[in-house]
Amino acid sequence: MRPDDTPDSVEGGSLQKRARTVNEEGFDLTFDNLQPLRILVDVIQNILQRVEVKVVKNDTFEGIHIECIDSKHVCLIVARLSANVSYCSDDTTFCVDTTTFNTCLKAVQPHFSLTMKNNQNSADIQMCAYESISNNYFTTFNVPTLVHDSDSVKLTDLDYEYTIEMDLNTLRNIVKNTLALKGNKINLTIEVPKETMSYNYTVFTITTDGAATQKHQFHSVTENRQGSTCVIRTEEGGVDIPEVEKFEKKYDGDFSASYLSSFLKSMERQVISMRLSEGKPLILNYPLGTEASYICFVLASKANDD
């Protein structure tokens, strides 16, 4: 993936005319809780102008799956959100404008349920929102579909050396302050003692550029398990910091503050996890209510000359 400074607001030039992207059998699904879908689409709209959605129903999962890369090939969004799928044919997908999709969802009360299905008489996707308890108020939207001609990229390598579990608001404020100080780069490093210890002692550091630089350090002591991913929890209190003379840098990466801001700004307060490994893109993972529902943000490192 090629790094750049700012998220792309237009993917692949002008949008093409609406087109039938759902096969003849189509689909019908229901979201009982609308809020996770609103968060998901809000995050995606900050980065992508259109998104392809796949409807899935199998033995292990039913709901929607998204895997889209921006046109600059800087970031990849992978997401799954559980839903009650009444029926769908194999490889059922549809592509919609994210601004249109998001505007429709924001017009609906968050406690409403939402049914989505293909329109048999047109290329539109029909969205019907309703109050499930009283069942006396319905809002229906017909959303046009688009031709999806963006690149397809799969996320396959999930073997990472470090996982950072961090308070979302803490990370978001660091990114927000970076942009306020006219910075554009966030540096992440992980250091460990040079001498071998019976436990994992790590120092996770976030450094930013701009009119004034910031440096945030998080010390973590965890159990040492050979061959497993080192999990660093930045919010754990009562850590006894050992005296260490020399440290060894195990990870060092620079990332775009603008892209990180676009991903984080629409999320609610939560713990977010970051996966780091030398020579690999940054992975941010945010849960969407259930174990099977999540949004994953994969960001390429920022080149030194950007």
Side-chain angles (χ1 to χ4, degrees):
M1 292 192 286
R2 177 172 55 82
D4 206 325
D5 274 332
T6 55
D8 196 18
S9 59
V10 179
E11 279 206 300
S14 60
L15 291 176
Q16 298 187 33
K17 200 71 174 175
R18 68 181 68 180
R20 187 70 172 177
T21 57
V22 183
N23 62 29
E24 294 305 318
E25 294 183 28
F27 69 92
D28 189 325
L29 61 88
T30 301
F31 295 97
D32 293 326
N33 183 4
L34 192 57
Q35 189 61 11
L37 178 63
R38 290 175 60 158
I39 294 173
L40 172 61
V41 176
D42 206 22
V43 171
I44 292 174
Q45 189 208 339
N46 293 334
I47 300 167
L48 304 173
Q49 188 179 3
R50 51 182 162 176
V51 62
E52 185 183 51
V53 180
K54 182 176 182 179
V55 183
V56 180
K57 183 179 178 66
N58 54 42
D59 294 338
T60 59
F61 175 78
E62 61 178 270
I64 60 172
H65 177 82
I66 294 169
E67 198 157 344
C68 292
I69 191 169
D70 76 323
S71 63
K72 295 180 180 179
H73 288 207
V74 179
C75 69
L76 171 69
I77 293 179
V78 181
R80 276 196 166 192
L81 185 59
S82 297
N84 299 318
V85 181
S86 299
Y87 64 85
C88 71
S89 52
D90 293 338
D91 298 323
T92 298
T93 61
F94 61 91
C95 181
V96 291
D97 179 84
T98 56
T99 300
T100 302
F101 197 12
N102 201 21
T103 301
C104 294
L105 291 176
K106 286 185 175 181
V108 178
Q109 295 293 328
H111 66 279
F112 276 29
S113 297
L114 179 76
T115 297
M116 295 179 63
K117 61 183 178 180
N118 62 300
N119 193 321
Q120 297 293 338
N121 300 318
S122 73
D124 295 349
I125 300 300
Q126 186 180 90
M127 296 167 47
C128 179
Y130 56 93
E131 216 289 333
S132 56
I133 297 177
S134 61
N135 207 30
N136 62 354
Y137 176 34
F138 297 84
T139 301
T140 303
F141 301 94
N142 286 308
V143 181
T145 57
L146 307 167
V147 174
H148 179 72
D149 56 3
S150 300
D151 296 334
S152 179
V153 177
K154 296 292 183 182
L155 178 62
T156 55
D157 186 2
L158 296 176
D159 187 16
Y160 275 65
E161 190 172 358
Y162 296 97
T163 297
I164 315 292
E165 293 182 355
M166 187 173 186
D167 176 66
L168 170 64
N169 205 41
T170 301
L171 179 59
R172 183 163 49 202
N173 284 338
I174 292 173
V175 174
K176 183 179 178 181
N177 288 338
T178 302
L179 296 177
L181 292 168
K182 309 301 181 184
N184 61 12
K185 181 175 67 176
I186 290 181
N187 174 258
L188 308 177
T189 62
I190 295 176
E191 296 176 295
V192 300
K194 278 195 171 183
E195 295 184 3
T196 303
M197 307 178 103
S198 59
Y199 50 84
N200 282 326
Y201 171 42
T202 56
V203 180
F204 173 56
T205 305
I206 303 177
T207 309
T208 70
D209 62 356
T213 61
Q214 303 177 81
K215 186 176 183 179
H216 305 264
Q217 283 193 322
F218 304 90
H219 298 258
S220 176
V221 176
T222 57
E223 186 179 349
N224 189 358
R225 294 180 180 178
Q226 286 295 117
S228 63
T229 299
C230 178
V231 179
I232 302 170
R233 297 178 176 89
T234 63
E235 300 302 315
E236 285 191 347
V239 175
D240 293 327
I241 302 175
E243 294 183 6
V244 177
E245 293 184 0
K246 295 182 179 180
F247 281 88
E248 178 183 1
K249 190 175 290 186
K250 288 290 188 178
Y251 178 84
D252 189 347
D254 294 329
F255 299 94
S256 167
S258 182
Y259 268 97
L260 287 171
S261 175
S262 296
F263 181 70
L264 297 171
K265 65 182 179 182
S266 299
M267 293 179 175
E268 297 177 342
R269 295 197 62 170
Q270 183 70 267
V271 173
I272 194 167
S273 66
M274 292 186 280
R275 297 184 188 179
L276 303 172
S277 202
E278 201 66 42
K280 297 180 181 181
L282 166 68
I283 295 181
L284 292 175
N285 195 75
Y286 180 80
L288 289 172
T290 65
E291 186 177 348
S293 299
Y294 60 86
I295 179 168
C296 183
F297 182 65
V298 186
L299 181 63
S301 60
K302 190 173 175 63
N304 292 328
D305 57 351
D306 280 349

